[in-house]
């Protein structure tokens, strides 16, 4: 069976949306850039440099990776991909190694167990280098990664390859693979 690697942040977990929730609460007077206007994969580059440290503090805080909301449709789509049998789905994510005590690794595992169930823990690979992982396809939002399937965001419009517009688009794309 063909192996389908699936990225986590920005693909099944809403990294930027979760950041924005905290950002708006903590800094109600500061600018808010909608997800549709991000021009760079690294969202802090879309904000004034003076905010870089505050942004980093939020995204490296305890619980940030654990309490992200799922991307709309992702949980159902992943469960259907597993039940479907056409692909062997594996979540392939690069943890943020700057988070204190390497909490990011365990928080990502807790997130997967919570939203997808414990059986998906056997389908979770955390690696600093995704090119070391074998797979037939990789659904990712990072424009510069080797990838075959781009998860659509405003900042990856120039990236070529298959394109997954959102998780409700999966049935269409499934037919083309
Ligand atoms: Mg990502």
């Amino acid at each position: 069976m063909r192996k389908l690697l699936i990225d986590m942040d920005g693909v099944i977990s809403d990294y930027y949306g979760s950041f924005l929730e905290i950002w708006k609460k903590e800094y109600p007077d500061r600018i808010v850039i909608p997800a549709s206007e991000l021009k760079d994969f690294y969202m802090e580059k879309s904000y004034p440099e003076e905010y870089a440290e505050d942004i980093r503090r939020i995204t490296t805080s305890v619980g940030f990776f654990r309490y992200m909301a799922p991307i709309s449709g992702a949980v159902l789509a992943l469960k259907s991909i597993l039940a479907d049998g056409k692909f062997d789905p594996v979540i392939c994510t690069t943890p943020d190694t700057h988070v204190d005590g390497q909490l990011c690794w365990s928080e990502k595992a807790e997130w997967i167990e919570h939203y997808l169930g414990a059986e998906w823990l056997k389908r979770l690979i955390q690696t600093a280098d995704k090119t070391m992982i074998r797979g037939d396809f990789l659904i990712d939002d990072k424009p510069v990664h080797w990838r075959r399937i781009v998860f659509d965001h405003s900042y990856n419009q120039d990236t070529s390859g298959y394109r997954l517009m959102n998780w409700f688009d999966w049935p269409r794309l499934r037919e083309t693979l």
Side-chain angles (χ1 to χ4, degrees):
M1 203 188 302
R2 289 185 297 173
K3 204 174 275 292
L4 176 65
L5 306 175
I6 304 164
D7 173 42
M8 222 174 147
D9 300 322
V11 173
I12 62 170
S13 56
D14 189 4
Y15 183 93
Y16 188 62
S18 305
F19 161 78
L20 271 192
E21 291 244 316
I22 302 170
W23 180 252
K24 286 191 270 191
K25 248 179 238 157
E26 291 200 9
Y27 306 105
D29 325 328
R30 291 187 185 175
I31 57 156
V32 170
I33 298 169
S36 59
E37 288 171 24
L38 289 179
K39 293 289 173 245
D40 195 284
F41 172 79
Y42 296 100
M43 54 93 166
E44 60 272 23
K45 290 191 182 167
S46 298
Y47 283 82
E49 211 178 319
E50 70 214 73
Y51 295 158
E53 205 173 305
D54 294 331
I55 290 171
R56 194 78 190 121
R57 191 181 45 73
I58 290 173
T59 59
T60 57
S61 62
V62 171
F64 181 71
F65 284 90
R66 170 62 188 87
Y67 295 106
M68 280 182 202
I71 294 259
S72 179
V75 171
L76 268 177
L78 261 63
K79 287 182 175 179
S80 80
I81 289 168
L82 182 59
D84 171 14
K86 182 170 177 177
F87 298 100
D88 183 23
V90 173
I91 291 157
C92 186
T93 182
T94 300
D96 189 337
T97 51
H98 297 95
V99 178
D100 274 355
Q102 309 314 330
L103 264 176
C104 188
W105 296 74
S106 55
E107 290 195 1
K108 279 176 176 284
E110 285 173 27
W111 192 98
I112 293 295
E113 185 173 16
H114 177 80
Y115 284 106
L116 294 167
E119 78 257 53
W120 280 80
L121 291 175
K122 290 177 283 188
R123 299 180 169 278
L124 172 61
I125 295 171
Q126 302 204 38
T127 174
D129 181 2
K130 291 185 189 181
T131 63
M132 294 173 69
I133 310 301
R134 278 187 299 133
D136 298 291
F137 298 100
L138 168 66
I139 303 178
D140 207 325
D141 65 319
K142 193 171 187 178
V144 294
H145 244 288
W146 66 269
R147 44 88 205 94
R148 292 293 303 275
I149 304 169
V150 185
F151 194 82
D152 188 67
H153 279 280
S154 59
Y155 51 77
N156 58 28
Q157 293 303 307
D158 296 338
T159 308
S160 61
Y162 293 102
R163 187 161 286 265
L164 182 59
M165 299 310 295
N166 54 58
W167 280 107
F168 302 101
D169 183 36
W170 171 253
R172 176 198 61 82
L173 183 64
R174 178 191 180 282
E175 295 308 311
T176 69
L177 300 178

